[in-house]
């Protein structure tokens, strides 16, 4: 059974790109050996708030400071190539206080797609200054269209489709978080 599980994961990792993983790149595009950039100090956001029951990924708190206030998200942390390749594929719901964070190390232009993702997302690209570069809002489920960042991204952040507009989150707003050591 262990061998079968590993085989299935290998197939998913090798043949499927994550919803909101780099379009046109496999899981090898992410570097899991290097530490991703930290976007906040310890006192700004707690590093670890648990493990997600569905994905098994670590969950950290991510804050977005916008003109309408501070928005807090319990965010699954997709650091490994496998986690970044899978993203939110096959997930049928995402609560308004939930998200997924994809750190980029090194920072680079990013492009995501919605392959195998049945829910609409807002894909938020974050620059090296921790400010939002651009947002691909209300993405089309299952779409293979490439949705690029508007520059060098230090991370990508995904929330429920339409939530950015509802909360007043926009380009120029700041994300803060601390990555576990």
């Amino acid at each position: 059974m262990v061998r079968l599980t590993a085989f299935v994961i290998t197939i998913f990792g090798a043949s499927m790109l994550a919803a909101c993983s780099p379009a046109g790149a496999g899981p090898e595009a992410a570097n899991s050996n290097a530490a991703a950039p930290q976007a906040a100090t310890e006192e700004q956001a707690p590093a670890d708030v648990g493990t997600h029951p569905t994905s098994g990924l670590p969950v950290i708190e991510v804050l977005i400071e916008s003109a309408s206030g501070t928005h807090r998200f319990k965010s699954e942390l997709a650091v490994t190539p496998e986690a970044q390749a899978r993203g939110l594929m096959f997930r049928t719901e995402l609560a308004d206080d939930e998200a997924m964070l994809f750190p980029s190390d090194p920072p680079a232009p990013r492009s995501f797609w919605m392959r195998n993702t049945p829910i609409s997302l807002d894909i938020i690209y974050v620059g090296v200054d921790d400010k939002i570069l651009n947002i691909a809002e209300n993405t089309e489920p299952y779409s293979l269209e490439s949705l690029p960042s508007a520059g060098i991204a230090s991370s990508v952040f995904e929330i429920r489709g339409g939530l950015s507009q509802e909360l007043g989150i926009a380009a120029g707003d700041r994300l803060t978080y601390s990555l576990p050591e």
Side-chain angles (χ1 to χ4, degrees):
M1 178 129 166
V2 173
R3 287 185 189 157
L4 178 59
T5 302
F7 178 70
V8 171
I9 291 170
T10 301
I11 287 175
F12 277 114
S15 64
M16 291 191 204
L17 298 175
C20 308
S21 71
E28 65 279 357
N31 179 355
S32 64
N33 294 327
Q38 286 195 331
T41 63
E42 292 298 323
E43 63 272 8
Q44 291 174 311
D48 185 6
V49 293
T51 302
H52 193 272
T54 302
S55 68
L57 294 174
V59 176
I60 64 170
E61 185 174 65
V62 174
L63 307 177
I64 297 180
E65 299 289 333
S66 74
S68 62
T70 300
H71 309 284
R72 296 178 180 273
F73 297 91
K74 295 178 284 189
S75 306
E76 294 171 70
L77 184 57
V79 176
T80 67
E82 295 79 15
Q84 288 210 1
R86 186 166 180 90
L88 290 168
M89 280 184 172
F90 310 109
R91 298 281 279 279
T92 57
E93 59 187 17
L94 188 65
D96 286 354
D97 66 342
E98 293 181 321
M100 185 170 278
L101 178 69
F102 302 78
S104 298
D105 187 32
R110 300 291 301 263
S111 184
F112 281 34
W113 62 1
M114 294 295 293
R115 182 176 181 186
N116 296 320
T117 307
I119 57 174
S120 178
L121 299 171
D122 285 354
I123 304 171
I124 300 172
Y125 297 97
V126 182
V128 295
D129 61 356
D130 304 324
K131 292 183 180 179
I132 296 173
L133 294 168
N134 63 304
I135 304 172
E137 294 186 47
N138 289 307
T139 58
E140 180 183 343
Y142 300 107
S143 174
L144 299 182
E145 176 186 359
S146 179
L147 304 166
S149 63
I152 304 295
S154 64
S155 62
V156 179
F157 189 65
E158 297 176 342
I159 59 177
R160 177 183 60 78
L163 191 57
S164 294
Q165 185 175 17
E166 291 172 27
L167 296 177
I169 296 170
D173 292 347
R174 181 177 302 278
L175 262 75
T176 57
Y177 58 89
S178 294
L179 296 175
E181 293 184 20

